[in-house]
Amino acid sequence: MERSIFPTNLPDREWSQFRADGFDTPVCGVIHHGTNPPDCGMPLGGIDTGCVDLEPSGLLGFNSIFNSLVEPTGPLNVPLLGLSLNLQTWVLTTLNMMGRDGYIWLDHPRQYNYRGVRTASQIHYWGHYPVADLEFDTDAPVAVGLRAWAPFIPGEAATSNIPGAVFEVRLRNATGEKQAGTLAFSFPGPTESEALTTRFDRATVDRACSGVAVMSEKVSYALAVIERQPVRTGGALGVDGKAWAKIEKVLPSAREQAGASLAVDFALAPGEEKAIRLVLAWHCPQWRGGGTNSAGGNVYTHMYASRFHSVVDVAQFLAYNHESLLTRILAWQQVLYADTALPGWLQDSLINVLHLLTETTVWAQAKPPIGDWCREEDGLFAMNESPRWCPQMECIPCGFYGNQPVVYFFPELALSTMRGYTAYQYPNGAVPWVFGGCTGGTPPYEVALPSPGYSHKPMTTLDGPCYAEMVDRLWRRTGDDGLLREFYEAAKKNTTLTMNLRPGSGAAGIVSMPTDNLAQDWMESTELLGIVPHIGGIHLAQLRTVRRMAEAMGDEAFAQQCREWLEQGSAVMEEHTWTGSHYMLFNELETGKCSDVVMSCMLDGEWMCLFQGLPGVFAPDRVDATLETIKKTSVALTDFGAVIFCKPTASALGEGDWSPGYMGSHGVHPTGTFILAMLYMYRGQRELGLELARRPVQEVVRRGWIYDWPVILDGEIDGKVEPRIGFDYYQNLMLWSLPAALAGGDFAGPCAPGGLVSRILDAAAEG
């Protein structure tokens, strides 16, 4: 009999090395146990498909597959699998206690056997997106493992845009006797507010799989067993212990139900193992800009609906192709696990952080209200900053931080997004802050209502550098000068705007806040005045980037203009903001107002240049001195990254000091910490940088947020320290920048033949 999918005797919430089914070399992963689950399980879904969380407790969690995007339904808190042998049922969950009324008590402290229903004593859970592996501890004579996965293939956007998941249930007869029984799968279906109806049609699914499709005008889904075999279907089992107890004989009536269940009988010889593969497919073609089907806003059409015309099409496709798809998923993951240049924690984290793509992405077909600038082959791809916290589409610094793996693995999607930014550029050269969403005062899942963002203090001063950086990445990733020609004039126009946001201040205006300081830094809700090295350095990085573009375009006049701005701005910043140990937070020459508060991300502009293979923008000796100061202050004040703002005396800001806003006096920005860590690597302190990058990831794992990434750890809201701020922040995809820096190279390095990205793409294509 085959072994379990992975060892179950591993520690909880920490990285372990182990052998796992489907991999030739040991892997590194984080194991969770159902009695100590993380806040959210791994989401099953791909690009623009929505997703449903599979919890380490064996329950289903948040669910967005029916277009509840801004407010995912749930947590559903219902089990999905049950096993019955000789009229004894095991519901495969740990949060499961059956009460006298036959319903599950989620808060009951002990296992309770109710009328033939038992549960798992423990579930061992290993997520490696898009795969979740579970091993169930029960007292049943048949052992159970589960490998659940959704299609996600680097290099193939269309394949990663299939709305469905496969559940491979492994049944192992550990006894010396034949065992016969039933496996049941239950799914609750859409809520009334998702379906906008309580009436559903049901149809039989056959050919490559056997099951049922549940359909309405707005949403549809299907449950099916791969390969044609006898199945029974019915209504959802939910948390009804009486219903689960009867699965060998009967399933609930499907009448007036949105949910569905499916049962398949099996027989196992002594020592035999059998895999039963189930498909959950969904097809919900249109979403509303309001973020739910019952909300207002414009109507957009998912790209997957251009290839799949019904939920049965999706189910059949997965049934026909499940074997090759899973082989290819494990093959691209094998590349990361086998790369000895990457520490184990980074191998695991690079894989798992990709789950943010299914949590936040939409890919709209080129239909109104999107303008006719949008090409049919492109559609419009966009990511939501944080669907459950700050819902807005393509907040540009989040894209700057987090679009690296999109550019690496799906450059056609990144191209679609950049064409959106360019189409939405304002006549004065400013690029939009969002395509639509909360800070622009528009519905949260709009992609055709661009806005400059906050009306009181817009982000104009940093939006342009983000745009230039993302154009540069795409150009260098593809090597296509045609793309540069397409975006060059927009980048040039914005650069001219950005360097003249504070007219009348001479060269200081190049590295300063706009006139009247009416703008914000990425670290929002803080007072910054005059020359700000964080902003100034980023402006200088924009000049280096666009100057290279100008030279490639043969625009020597603008290249020379960039050189002059760069020299002038650099001279002013070096003269007026150096303290002797670090760069000031700000210095307003006109008023004399200044601050020497240490900002751990003050050198972001330096990183932008080094990461793009360009010379830095700060004096090299001062970069090293500043990094030493940050190490003694921001890094020393916390165990899990770098405090964003602190005093140069290595003490936290207190009441009456300069206010760090919601970042708080102990707040850590994981993404900013990754950038700082890479700077240490680039400046010759590789091990320090690697350790610094590991710390926030380890803290997120320890706190149980591995599938629920925040934007800030230990920030402050209304004067109260909050353990985290935000959920599912895709800017944490910045992790995918680390391999290039770790190798001492720039963004394009991993794309070269033999590089990490190139090898992943090759493995994903070949399987």
Side-chain angles (χ1 to χ4, degrees):
M1 186 171 64
E2 291 187 19
R3 59 180 172 81
S4 60
I5 302 172
F6 61 94
T8 60
N9 60 341
L10 298 169
D12 189 48
R13 293 195 185 189
E14 62 182 69
W15 288 292
S16 301
Q17 292 276 352
F18 51 89
R19 291 274 180 179
D21 184 64
F23 296 100
D24 297 332
T25 57
V27 303
C28 183
V30 175
I31 305 302
H32 293 89
H33 302 293
T35 50
N36 183 31
D39 278 16
C40 288
M42 198 197 76
L44 294 172
I47 290 172
D48 177 48
T49 62
C51 54
V52 58
D53 292 354
L54 178 58
E55 303 294 333
S57 60
L59 303 178
L60 295 174
F62 286 110
N63 175 31
S64 62
I65 66 175
F66 300 119
N67 291 324
S68 291
L69 301 174
V70 70
E71 297 175 358
T73 304
L76 299 175
N77 284 340
V78 294
L80 67 153
L81 287 174
L83 175 76
S84 188
L85 299 158
N86 300 317
L87 302 183
Q88 170 66 65
T89 295
W90 288 263
V91 182
L92 298 178
T93 176
T94 51
L95 299 179
N96 52 10
M97 319 313 165
M98 304 297 174
R100 286 187 299 275
D101 59 0
Y103 287 90
I104 293 175
W105 291 357
L106 296 178
D107 57 352
H108 200 286
R110 65 182 178 85
Q111 185 167 320
Y112 187 90
N113 180 4
Y114 176 69
R115 294 188 182 181
V117 176
R118 297 179 183 174
T119 55
S121 59
Q122 185 62 280
I123 298 175
H124 312 280
Y125 185 105
W126 169 43
H128 45 116
Y129 178 79
V131 184
D133 288 327
L134 290 75
E135 290 289 339
F136 301 87
D137 288 349
T138 72
D139 59 358
V142 171
V144 184
L146 170 65
R147 171 161 278 174
W149 56 273
F152 182 84
I153 307 292
E156 294 186 14
T159 306
S160 303
N161 180 228
I162 299 171
V166 176
F167 298 79
E168 180 181 293
V169 184
R170 302 185 181 188
L171 304 175
R172 312 176 188 106
N173 182 2
T175 74
E177 301 177 353
K178 178 181 177 180
Q179 299 291 338
T182 297
L183 178 72
F185 186 96
S186 177
F187 188 70
T191 64
E192 183 176 348
S193 64
E194 289 173 325
L196 302 182
T197 184
T198 58
R199 299 178 64 86
F200 298 89
D201 295 324
R202 292 179 180 253
T204 298
V205 178
D206 53 18
R207 292 188 308 209
C209 52
S210 305
V212 61
V214 182
M215 300 168 289
S216 70
E217 181 181 356
K218 298 291 184 184
V219 300
S220 302
Y221 71 96
L223 298 181
V225 175
I226 293 177
E227 298 177 355
R228 296 189 64 181
Q229 56 185 300
V231 298
R232 292 177 284 118
T233 62
L237 294 155
V239 293
D240 188 341
K242 292 180 181 179
W244 282 102
K246 299 175 183 178
I247 59 175
E248 277 191 80
K249 299 293 186 181
V250 65
L251 296 174
S253 170
R255 187 179 304 167
E256 303 298 323
Q257 267 221 40
S261 60
L262 179 151
V264 58
D265 297 329
F266 65 87
L268 296 171
E272 183 184 1
E273 175 173 347
K274 176 179 291 186
I276 298 176
R277 297 175 179 87
L278 305 136
V279 170
L280 169 64
W282 56 92
H283 192 266
C284 314
Q286 294 180 324
W287 85 87
R288 300 296 296 260
T292 65
N293 288 342
S294 58
N298 288 307
V299 176
Y300 301 93
T301 304
H302 290 289
M303 185 61 78
Y304 67 71
S306 67
R307 298 187 314 282
F308 298 104
H309 301 297
S310 73
V311 71
V312 175
D313 290 346
V314 180
Q316 298 287 5
F317 184 91
L318 286 173
Y320 281 121
N321 296 282
H322 69 93
E323 188 173 2
S324 63
L325 288 171
L326 179 58
T327 298
R328 294 167 67 195
I329 290 168
L330 300 182
W332 72 255
Q333 293 187 346
Q334 175 77 60
V335 172
L336 282 155
Y337 289 131
D339 192 332
T340 57
L342 304 175
W345 71 265
L346 186 54
Q347 297 168 354
D348 170 72
S349 300
L350 290 173
I351 290 170
N352 268 314
V353 79
L354 292 171
H355 83 272
L356 290 167
L357 290 173
T358 197
E359 295 277 15
T360 63
T361 57
V362 290
W363 187 9
Q365 293 186 38
K367 297 179 178 181
I370 301 172
D372 58 10
W373 57 265
C374 187
R375 307 183 187 190
E376 182 178 353
E377 65 272 21
D378 287 349
L380 181 56
F381 174 80
M383 293 188 274
N384 195 293
E385 176 177 339
S386 173
R388 289 187 289 139
W389 184 264
C390 187
Q392 53 187 355
M393 301 308 303
E394 276 304 313
C395 177
I396 196 166
C398 292
F400 157 79
Y401 283 132
N403 86 335
Q404 283 92 331
V406 178
V407 178
Y408 277 152
F409 300 126
F410 308 108
E412 68 272 41
L413 298 183
L415 174 60
S416 159
T417 304
M418 296 313 299
R419 284 175 171 158
Y421 275 115
T422 307
Y424 295 152
Q425 187 175 29
Y426 297 100
N428 68 350
V431 292
W433 163 251
V434 292
F435 289 2
C438 60
T439 59
T442 57
Y445 263 85
E446 294 284 357
V447 294
L449 296 177
S451 167
Y454 300 101
S455 58
H456 64 297
K457 280 193 174 184
M459 309 296 284
T460 310
T461 189
L462 290 181
D463 291 350
C466 294
Y467 176 84
E469 183 84 356
M470 291 192 289
V471 168
D472 198 55
R473 286 176 196 164
L474 188 58
W475 173 39
R476 301 189 69 242
R477 161 68 178 88
T478 62
D480 184 354
D481 288 345
L483 292 183
L484 178 59
R485 284 191 293 273
E486 180 177 349
F487 298 116
Y488 173 67
E489 289 301 326
K492 176 180 177 180
K493 188 174 183 179
N494 175 269
T495 303
T496 301
L497 168 76
T498 302
M499 300 308 143
N500 289 281
L501 287 172
R502 195 178 180 111
S505 297
I510 298 168
V511 289
S512 294
M513 295 285 280
T515 300
D516 298 325
N517 301 306
L518 289 179
Q520 295 196 64
D521 189 88
W522 293 330
M523 302 302 151
E524 303 165 348
S525 302
T526 58
E527 183 181 53
L528 299 172
L529 309 173
I531 303 172
V532 181
H534 181 242
I535 290 173
I538 291 169
H539 284 188
L540 299 182
Q542 181 181 11
L543 290 171
R544 283 219 186 276
T545 300
V546 177
R547 171 186 164 186
R548 178 165 63 187
M549 294 179 185
E551 291 171 344
M553 292 293 295
D555 188 350
E556 182 53 38
F558 196 70
Q560 179 60 30
Q561 177 65 79
C562 289
R563 290 188 199 100
E564 293 174 2
W565 278 330
L566 183 62
E567 292 169 1
Q568 294 165 3
S570 176
V572 168
M573 192 165 64
E574 295 291 345
E575 178 182 358
H576 293 289
T577 64
W578 180 246
T579 68
S581 62
H582 65 284
Y583 290 93
M584 304 174 78
L585 182 62
F586 62 81
N587 185 5
E588 188 169 48
L589 302 181
E590 297 91 336
T591 65
K593 294 179 180 179
C594 61
S595 171
D596 65 353
V597 163
V598 175
M599 184 184 196
S600 60
C601 54
M602 66 174 65
L603 299 177
D604 280 357
E606 186 79 5
W607 170 80
M608 290 168 66
C609 289
L610 300 180
F611 189 60
Q612 291 303 108
L614 293 164
V617 291
F618 293 92
D621 58 332
R622 291 181 174 181
V623 169
D624 292 336
T626 299
L627 289 174
E628 186 65 22
T629 296
I630 292 172
K631 179 170 65 175
K632 294 176 179 178
T633 55
S634 299
V635 174
L637 282 172
T638 179
D639 294 330
F640 46 87
V643 172
I644 303 167
F645 297 109
C646 69
K647 296 179 181 179
T649 55
S651 56
L653 292 164
E655 188 174 350
D657 293 325
W658 178 85
S659 172
Y662 64 77
M663 272 63 70
S665 58
H666 293 86
V668 171
H669 181 217
T671 304
T673 298
F674 300 149
I675 290 178
L676 177 63
M678 287 184 275
L679 268 178
Y680 282 111
M681 295 178 193
Y682 282 129
R683 297 302 299 173
Q685 299 187 64
R686 183 179 184 276
E687 294 307 313
L688 171 60
L690 192 58
E691 171 61 16
L692 183 59
R694 183 188 65 84
R695 290 179 181 179
V697 185
Q698 182 180 44
E699 187 67 8
V700 166
V701 168
R702 186 188 70 81
R703 296 190 190 189
W705 303 335
I706 186 172
Y707 300 114
D708 204 11
W709 268 91
V711 64
I712 302 234
L713 300 171
D714 291 3
E716 294 183 14
I717 299 178
D718 297 328
K720 179 183 177 182
V721 176
E722 297 289 344
R724 64 173 161 182
I725 294 177
F727 310 95
D728 301 324
Y729 260 83
Y730 78 84
Q731 61 177 252
N732 290 293
L733 291 166
M734 171 65 76
L735 267 172
W736 271 92
S737 301
L738 288 173
L742 192 59
D746 63 13
F747 171 81
C751 303
L756 178 63
V757 169
S758 176
R759 287 183 283 120
I760 288 172
L761 291 171
D762 288 345
E766 297 170 4

